[in-house]
Every structure is written in C-alpha cells, then in structure tokens.
C-alpha cells in the first residue's frame, strides 16, 4: 500500500500554488463574488458525470450514499490513479470565489488547478470542505477538482459549489450548432448517436441530447448512447452545444430512429448454459450430455490469468490446443456453442491483475479471437473484483470496449446476491454499468450461498425481483425490458451452506424464468449433475438423489 506520509508534499505544493495565484492578481484589489453556483451538474442529479471529466474513467454516479438529492459522485481510486474528477468554468478576472463541497472517504481533496486545495478524512460520513481563491488579473477560466488518494479506497462527493459570477470576460457568444447528427446503432432499448464537434470562441464544455423537447443526456464528447427506451418506438433526437458561460447553441439537425422490436420487451438474447469445468469434478463428455438432455450451450469455466495479463484456462491450461478446446470442438460439432466465463471465486484473475481496462480488453479479445465467440461472461466475485470498485470499473470499461469492437457480441456479468436482490456491491456494479455506458446484455445473479434456507424457490424469485427493481430504477426500463436483462445461475443439489435445490425446485425456477422471459438460465455445474445422496458438497455429484443429467435436462427446457 502506498504510504500516506507522501501526502504532505501535495499539500505544500497546493499552498505554493495558492500564493502564486493570489500574487498574480495583486495589481488591483480583487472583487468579491456574488453567491451563485456556477458549476454545471453540481449534485450529479442528471445521472451522468458530464460535464465533469474523471481520470481513468473512474468516476460514476451512484444513488447511495448521497448527501443531498438522490445522486452523488463516486471515485474508484486505484493504486495508480486518484480518480480526479474536474470541471472547467468561465470566471471573471481579479475576483474571489469560494469552492465548497460535501465529501466522504479516506483522504479526499477539493481544490482548483494552480491554486488552493483542502482535504479531509471522513470515511463513514459526509464532511464539508471549503476553500477560497482569487483569480488572476487576466484569468477567464478555472478548473476545479475533487479526488481521493492512491490505494485508499473509493470516495464520494456531492453538492459541490463554486460561488461567484460566471465569467469568460463577459462571454455571450454561443457555440455553433453541432452538425451531422446520425444514429450509429440501436437495440430494443437504446439508440447510439454521433455528431460533428461544434466550435466556440472560448470552448465547448458539454453537449446536451434531446428527445423531442426533453433533455435526456449531457456528455462531453461527440457521441452518446441513450438507454431506457421502449421497443418498437419512434424517437426524434437533436443535440445542442454548451460553453462554460452557459451559452447554448442552436439545435443540430434532427434524426428519427425507431428502436428494434423486443422479445418480451428486451434484448432477444436467450441462453440456457450450465457451467462445465474441465479442470475439476470428473468432467463428462459434453456430447454425451447434449445427446441425453438436448442442451446446446455450455458456460465454460474458468478463464484466468497465467501471468502478465495472459488468458489461460484455469490460469494453467493453454488457451488453445488443450482439453478445453477439445471439449469446445466437440460441443460445436454437435451443433452447440459456448460462453467462456472469466473470473470466479478464486485464482489469479484477469480483472484484478491486468493493469488497465485497455489491457484487460486486449486479454478478452485474445479469447474472443481464439474461439470466434458470440458471448462472454465475467463472473465477478470476492474482494479482489466484486468488492473493489476500481476493478468493477475496469471490467465494465473493458466489456464496453470489446462490445464496440465486436458487433453482435453479447456481454454477461455474473455476481452474488442477497435473498432480496443485489447487495451494496451489486447495486454499485449496476450503477457503474449505467454511468459508464457499458451496455451489458445480461446481469446474472447467483442465488445460492445467500441464506436461502429451505425456501430456495421463493428466495430465488425474491432476489430476481429485487434485481428487476434495481434495473428499472437505474436504467429507466419497464418490467419487460428489465426482466429481459436478467440471468439466474443457481447451484444444483447441496450448496456450501447446505441449501438444497432439488430437481423439483429447479423446475419451478425454470418455469418462473420462462414465464417472466428472462435472458439466461445457468447452474453450477454439469460436473455435479449426478446422484450421490448423502455424499455432501463435492465436485462430481449433487449430494442428493437425482437422475443423471437431470438438472441439465430441466435447464434445456428454458426458452425465455
């Protein structure tokens, strides 16, 4: 862990910068700013970070914990990135401004580039920071920031205020209208847009996207994806540019797009894919299982890191040319296909070990290329990935990258749950997916080892309904669309907590999944789909009485 005692050097430099900024305005007496917040999206209530810009793409908007309103900023600090989020605004020369904000976390900083900063440590509750600075004699813009400290965990920030008059030397010139607005892609619930950049005498700080007369999104770049839309519905979009002084351009050309028809209101992606593991539990011949059950897809476990961000099955078996490729070839020869699962509960994981989102995306791409994949699953578990906000962001950003680079690729994230829905870290994962625009196809929960007790059917349904509610509130989806982005991945027979999912219960879960048109049904694992009543929790049988491949046969009946 980076030593905290390195922090005072940053503090001294900030104070030196403050003195330099003040001296720059010493020729004339500074004016006093009137109390008016000139920041845009100061409380992040838009649901987007824009026009704030965050290093490493590590800033996202969350619904908890907040100081005021319903949203706040969360910065996913890493060992090498302090997750600084900043915004540039127009100011008036030789004027005193007050920057304040509410922050939560270990060692959170608030300040202005080239000027004053302040910090606090308040890991369990929001605390207010405030600092004043005076602009230079010819200064017309200022960049304010908030950030955490290396390896000290995520921070939260809310209700940030820069009190003073808007400036830019009295800038009243609006940017030119964006041109060339076009749709670059669509699904049943989203539309992707791009346009040509506007110009401005000072600089464009944001682009506001409109659906009809309603602003639906604000971004800093020249592309955006509007999500939470309804299937088979016509929408008309336009874009306006905005500068730091708040001047807004005329609207771009408009573009009309009709979203795709949905299957049950959603993505149209359906997958019955139980886990098959070639490194454990007497792995069966997959064609024998396919012939006996009718199943077509398998989730192949697990793709890990063999060192240096290099993918390998289980971290030790070769990416190609080994037992895993033999099984995949057999499955495809029998008319089936596979979705590799990256991660899992233990082992050396690519998500945790690859140094950046781009490096992780490169590792994923090597597997995609090796097997011409149609889908990939990121099984995000344990403290190294699931309970690490920075690693969550890295994984989601990598998935966004490979999805953009591989048209038609489906992306799945799999994670633990409580009996009532996503936990704090599950909610965090979903919120980050929305904030980053990751466009995840399926959010799969694992309803086992979760205190399910004797009612595994009821608690699995309750967990799925909790996930549906979270997807609706985060993405603005209706019930049908939310269900169509849900997956369930159970555990057949006895779980580690001695929960018992019997064939009858798994049939109930499958029937509920079909009637609610969810996207994916899986279980851990085909290796265990054999009878051994009283055998306990072992790798090659379920620990209960059942017929051979009975859970796989039930799963094969999932159609969504």
């Amino acid at each position: 862990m980076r030593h905290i005692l390195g922090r005072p050097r940053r503090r001294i430099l900030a104070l030196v910068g403050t003195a330099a900024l003040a001296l720059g305005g010493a020729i004339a007496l500074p004016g006093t700013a009137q109390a008016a917040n000139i920041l845009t999206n100061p409380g992040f209530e838009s649901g987007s970070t824009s026009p704030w810009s965050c290093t490493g793409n590590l800033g996202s908007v969350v619904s908890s914990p907040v100081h005021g309103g319903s949203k706040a900023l969360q910065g996913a600090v890493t060992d090498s990135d302090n997750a600084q989020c900043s915004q540039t605004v127009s100011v008036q020369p030789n004027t005193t401004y007050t920057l304040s904000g509410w922050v939560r976390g270990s060692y959170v900083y608030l300040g202005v580039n080239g000027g004053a900063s302040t910090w606090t440590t308040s890991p369990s509750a929001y605390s207010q920071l405030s600092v004043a600075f005076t602009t230079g004699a010819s200064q017309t813009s200022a960049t304010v920031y908030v950030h955490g400290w290396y390896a000290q965990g995520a921070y939260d920030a809310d209700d940030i205020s820069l009190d003073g008059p808007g400036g830019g030397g009295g800038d009243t010139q609006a940017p030119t209208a964006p041109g060339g607005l076009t749709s670059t892609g669509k699904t049943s619930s989203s539309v992707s847009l791009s346009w040509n950049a506007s110009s401005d005498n000072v600089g464009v700080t944001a682009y506001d996207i409109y659906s009809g007369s309603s602003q639906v999104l604000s971004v800093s770049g020249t592309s955006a994806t509007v999500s939470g839309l309804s299937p088979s519905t016509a929408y008309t979009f336009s874009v306006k540019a905005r500068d730091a002084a708040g001047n807004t351009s005329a609207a771009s050309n408009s573009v009309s797009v009709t979203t795709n028809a949905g299957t049950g209101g959603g993505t149209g992606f359906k997958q019955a894919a139980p886990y098959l593991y070639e490194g454990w539990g007497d792995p069966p011949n997959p064609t024998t299982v396919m012939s006996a059950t009718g199943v077509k897809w398998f989730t192949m476990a697990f793709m890990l890191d063999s060192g240096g961000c290099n993918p390998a099955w289980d971290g030790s078996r070769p990416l190609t040319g080994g037992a895993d490729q033999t099984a995949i070839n057999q499955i495809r020869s029998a008319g089936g296909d596979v979705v590799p699962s990256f991660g899992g509960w233990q082992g050396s994981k690519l998500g945790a070990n690859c140094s950046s989102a781009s490096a992780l995306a490169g590792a994923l791409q090597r597997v995609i290329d090796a097997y011409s994949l149609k889908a990939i699953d990121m099984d995000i578990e344990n403290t190294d990935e699931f309970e690490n906000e920075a690693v969550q962001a890295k994984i989601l950003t990598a998935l966004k990258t490979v999805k953009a680079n591989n048209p038609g690729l489906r992306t799945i994230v799999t994670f633990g749950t409580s009996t009532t829905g996503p936990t704090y870290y599950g909610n965090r994962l979903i919120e980050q997916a929305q904030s980053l625009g990751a466009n995840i196809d399926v959010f799969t929960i694992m309803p086992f080892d979760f205190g399910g007790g004797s009612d595994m059917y009821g608690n699995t349904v309750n967990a799925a309904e909790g996930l549906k509610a979270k997807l609706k509130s985060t993405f603005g989806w209706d019930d049908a669309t939310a269900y169509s982005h849900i997956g369930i991945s159970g555990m057949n027979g006895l779980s580690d907590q001695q929960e018992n999912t019997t064939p009858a219960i798994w049939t109930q879960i499958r029937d509920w999944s079909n009637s609610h048109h969810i996207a994916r049904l899986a279980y851990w694992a085909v290796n265990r789909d054999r009878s051994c009543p009283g055998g306990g929790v072992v790798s090659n049988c379920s620990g209960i009485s059942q017929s051979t491949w009975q859970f796989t046969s039930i799963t094969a009946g999932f159609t969504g």
Side-chain angles (χ1 to χ4, degrees):
M1 183 172 70
R2 192 181 299 258
H3 201 285
I4 301 300
L5 294 180
R7 191 174 60 259
R9 174 170 169 78
R10 167 63 190 248
R11 179 67 174 157
I12 292 168
L13 289 175
L15 291 172
V16 170
T18 305
L21 188 63
L23 287 172
I27 295 174
L29 292 174
T32 300
Q34 298 300 309
N37 190 1
I38 62 175
L39 296 178
T40 301
N41 197 20
F44 308 95
E45 296 301 315
S46 70
S48 164
T49 56
S50 180
W52 296 86
S53 176
C54 300
T55 59
N57 208 19
L58 295 176
S60 62
V61 176
V62 297
S63 57
S64 177
V66 301
H67 172 260
S70 61
K71 304 290 183 183
L73 170 72
Q74 190 164 86
V77 172
T78 70
D79 287 350
S80 58
D81 195 319
N82 62 11
Q84 177 170 300
C85 295
S86 60
Q87 182 178 151
T88 301
V89 295
S90 293
V91 294
Q92 293 184 7
N94 198 38
T95 302
T96 299
Y97 289 81
T98 299
L99 175 65
S100 63
W102 292 85
V103 299
R104 178 179 180 271
S106 297
Y107 305 101
V108 188
Y109 290 76
L110 184 73
V112 56
N113 280 0
S117 71
T118 185
W119 64 274
T120 190
T121 178
S122 181
S124 60
Y126 273 97
S127 177
Q128 189 176 31
L129 290 174
S130 183
V131 64
F133 65 94
T134 301
T135 54
S138 59
Q139 185 176 352
T140 57
S141 68
T143 299
V144 299
Y145 62 79
V146 60
H147 67 72
W149 194 249
Y150 304 98
Q152 296 306 303
Y155 71 86
D156 303 290
D158 201 3
D159 300 326
I160 302 174
S161 176
L162 181 60
D163 285 339
D171 177 25
T172 59
Q173 182 175 328
T176 61
L181 177 63
T182 186
S183 171
T184 57
K186 61 177 181 174
T187 68
S188 60
S189 60
S190 67
V191 171
S192 296
L193 304 167
S194 68
W195 56 91
N196 298 327
S198 297
S199 60
D200 185 67
N201 62 313
V202 175
V204 174
T205 58
Y207 293 92
D208 300 324
I209 296 93
Y210 290 80
S211 175
S213 59
S214 300
Q215 182 181 336
V216 293
L217 196 61
S218 182
V219 298
S220 57
T222 56
S223 64
T225 297
V226 182
S227 59
L229 306 178
S230 299
S232 303
T233 302
Y235 294 89
T236 299
F237 298 100
S238 60
V239 178
K240 296 179 181 180
R242 179 161 40 88
D243 64 18
N247 300 309
T248 301
S249 76
S252 68
N253 60 294
S254 60
V255 59
S256 296
V257 185
T258 299
T259 51
N260 294 338
T263 301
T267 67
F269 176 61
K270 307 295 175 184
Q271 188 182 77
Y275 281 81
L276 178 64
Y277 190 20
E278 289 298 310
W280 165 92
D282 300 331
N285 185 310
T287 58
T288 299
V289 179
M290 294 172 74
S291 176
T293 65
V295 75
K296 294 295 185 183
W297 281 82
F298 292 92
T299 304
M300 299 291 291
F302 282 105
M303 191 63 68
L304 297 174
D305 179 21
S306 64
C309 193
N310 289 305
W313 294 105
D314 238 16
S316 58
R317 300 191 303 277
L319 175 59
T320 58
D324 301 87
Q325 180 165 19
T326 297
I328 292 170
N329 291 346
Q330 290 172 336
I331 292 166
R332 287 178 167 173
S333 295
D337 213 337
V338 301
V339 49
S341 183
F342 295 75
W345 178 255
Q346 60 189 6
S348 182
K349 303 174 193 176
L350 292 160
N353 292 347
C354 292
S355 61
S356 65
S358 60
L360 176 58
L364 301 181
Q365 189 65 53
R366 287 195 289 277
V367 184
I368 293 167
D369 292 342
Y371 291 104
S372 301
L373 297 174
K374 300 180 180 70
I376 59 174
D377 169 54
M378 297 297 295
D379 193 337
I380 307 172
E381 301 188 52
N382 218 324
T383 55
D384 56 346
E385 288 192 334
F386 186 55
E387 296 179 15
N388 185 316
E389 291 93 340
V391 174
Q392 281 193 8
K394 187 198 306 182
I395 291 171
L396 292 168
T397 303
L399 288 174
K400 178 180 179 179
T401 299
V402 296
K403 191 174 181 69
N405 292 338
N406 300 271
L409 180 74
R410 302 291 189 164
T411 53
I412 303 159
V413 293
T414 299
F415 52 98
T417 184
S418 75
T419 56
T420 57
T423 63
Y424 168 82
Y425 287 104
N427 287 328
R428 170 80 173 122
L429 182 73
I430 293 165
E431 290 165 356
Q432 283 212 90
Q434 190 277 335
S435 181
L436 294 169
N439 197 19
I440 300 300
D441 290 289
V442 186
F443 295 87
T444 300
I445 53 170
M446 295 184 288
F448 60 89
D449 291 342
F450 73 142
S454 61
D455 188 11
M456 288 300 284
Y457 169 71
N459 283 317
T460 295
V461 168
N462 288 340
E465 290 288 356
L467 174 59
K468 180 207 72 172
K470 181 60 180 178
L471 295 177
K472 286 181 64 178
S473 65
T474 302
F475 292 96
W477 292 334
D478 58 17
D479 281 358
T481 304
Y483 282 127
S484 76
H485 287 81
I486 286 176
I488 292 174
S489 183
M491 185 170 179
N492 60 313
L494 293 181
S495 74
D496 304 288
Q497 292 184 2
Q498 298 296 303
E499 302 153 327
N500 188 2
T501 300
T502 65
I505 290 172
W506 190 240
T507 300
Q508 284 183 292
I509 292 170
R510 181 207 60 193
D511 292 346
W512 181 91
S513 301
N514 279 334
S515 67
H516 289 77
H517 309 295
I518 73 169
R520 172 174 159 87
L521 188 66
Y523 76 89
W524 179 260
V526 176
N527 306 61
R528 302 180 70 247
D529 197 9
R530 294 174 273 216
S531 182
C532 60
V537 183
V538 291
S539 64
N540 60 355
C541 57
S542 63
I544 64 172
S545 179
Q546 62 158 98
S547 60
T548 302
W549 318 136
Q550 188 172 3
F551 283 89
T552 305
S553 296
I554 295 166
T555 306
F558 171 73
T559 60

